[in-house]
Amino acid sequence: MTCRGVHFALTAEEVEQLRSFEDDDERVEYLSEEIEEMYFDRHPEFVAESDKAWDAIHRALADGELTWEGGEYPLNHVILGGELLCSGDDYVMSLKTPEQVREIAAVLPAIGEEEFRQRYLAIDPDNYEQGLSDDDLQYTWDWFQDVRAFYLRAAQHGRYVLFTVDQ
């Protein structure tokens, strides 16, 4: 698996469909066969990739750790926080409601490059496999900017946000 993170801005109907599945395998199949194909091909404005930077983005916005509950809301919901729809060995799906998306979008513009740098440097290097570096910081900052713009679009359109990562 690649461990590449992707955010999708979904409609209420798509979320209802995702929630209707009884197991993770069905949910992942729907994601890969329906949502990914449709959004990457027809609605790229409602997709934000974060490659492997999602890990450092979460750590920087939460409490420096890669945990579900660490940090303060709403920043700790940008990546991992929210309703877990799938948290198996192979895939993670975390859903944010339109209200949560609006609250996240309201705080993200205030995080400039210097604040992000300070948050990134607060990550415990002993618990971060990539190792803190100027290159990793720049890589993470670049992907964060795309995620931030995505949340603003998703909030503007009243959408849910689904974060996904294959492990």
Side-chain angles (χ1 to χ4, degrees):
M1 296 287 182
T2 59
C3 289
R4 291 195 168 104
V6 181
H7 287 78
F8 297 93
L10 303 179
T11 66
E13 294 79 20
E14 291 160 338
V15 168
E16 185 178 326
Q17 183 67 38
L18 270 173
R19 286 178 171 154
S20 74
F21 296 113
E22 294 188 21
D23 66 42
D24 288 351
D25 291 338
E26 291 176 314
R27 226 172 255 114
V28 170
E29 184 177 331
Y30 176 72
L31 174 72
S32 64
E33 293 182 7
E34 300 291 331
I35 291 175
E36 287 180 357
E37 287 189 24
M38 177 175 51
Y39 277 84
F40 279 110
D41 290 344
R42 292 182 274 171
H43 302 290
E45 71 277 15
F46 291 128
V47 176
E49 296 181 77
S50 55
D51 199 51
K52 295 181 181 186
W54 67 269
D55 182 320
I57 292 170
H58 177 76
R59 290 171 191 263
L61 297 179
D63 61 358
E65 302 291 328
L66 189 62
T67 63
W68 295 105
E69 60 281 334
E72 294 183 22
Y73 180 82
L75 291 178
N76 67 354
H77 275 52
V78 172
I79 303 290
L80 292 181
E83 177 186 350
L84 289 179
L85 294 180
C86 179
S87 62
D89 292 336
D90 296 334
Y91 230 93
V92 169
M93 289 186 210
S94 176
L95 181 69
K96 293 80 164 122
T97 66
E99 180 180 346
Q100 291 169 326
V101 171
R102 283 189 300 276
E103 291 169 352
I104 291 166
V107 299
L108 288 180
I111 298 180
E113 191 169 3
E114 185 54 36
E115 180 179 346
F116 192 84
R117 170 186 268 293
Q118 294 305 313
R119 289 172 165 277
Y120 173 87
L121 293 173
I123 296 172
D124 181 355
D126 294 334
N127 292 330
Y128 181 55
E129 288 182 23
Q130 301 295 3
L132 299 178
S133 69
D134 288 339
D135 287 344
D136 187 60
L137 171 59
Q138 187 62 53
Y139 166 80
T140 304
W141 169 250
D142 290 345
W143 287 108
F144 170 68
Q145 290 181 81
D146 292 343
V147 170
R148 180 173 50 191
F150 163 83
Y151 265 101
L152 296 173
R153 282 190 305 278
Q156 181 181 23
H157 291 275
R159 298 231 174 180
Y160 288 79
V161 166
L162 180 71
F163 170 74
T164 67
V165 65
D166 58 347
Q167 302 186 65

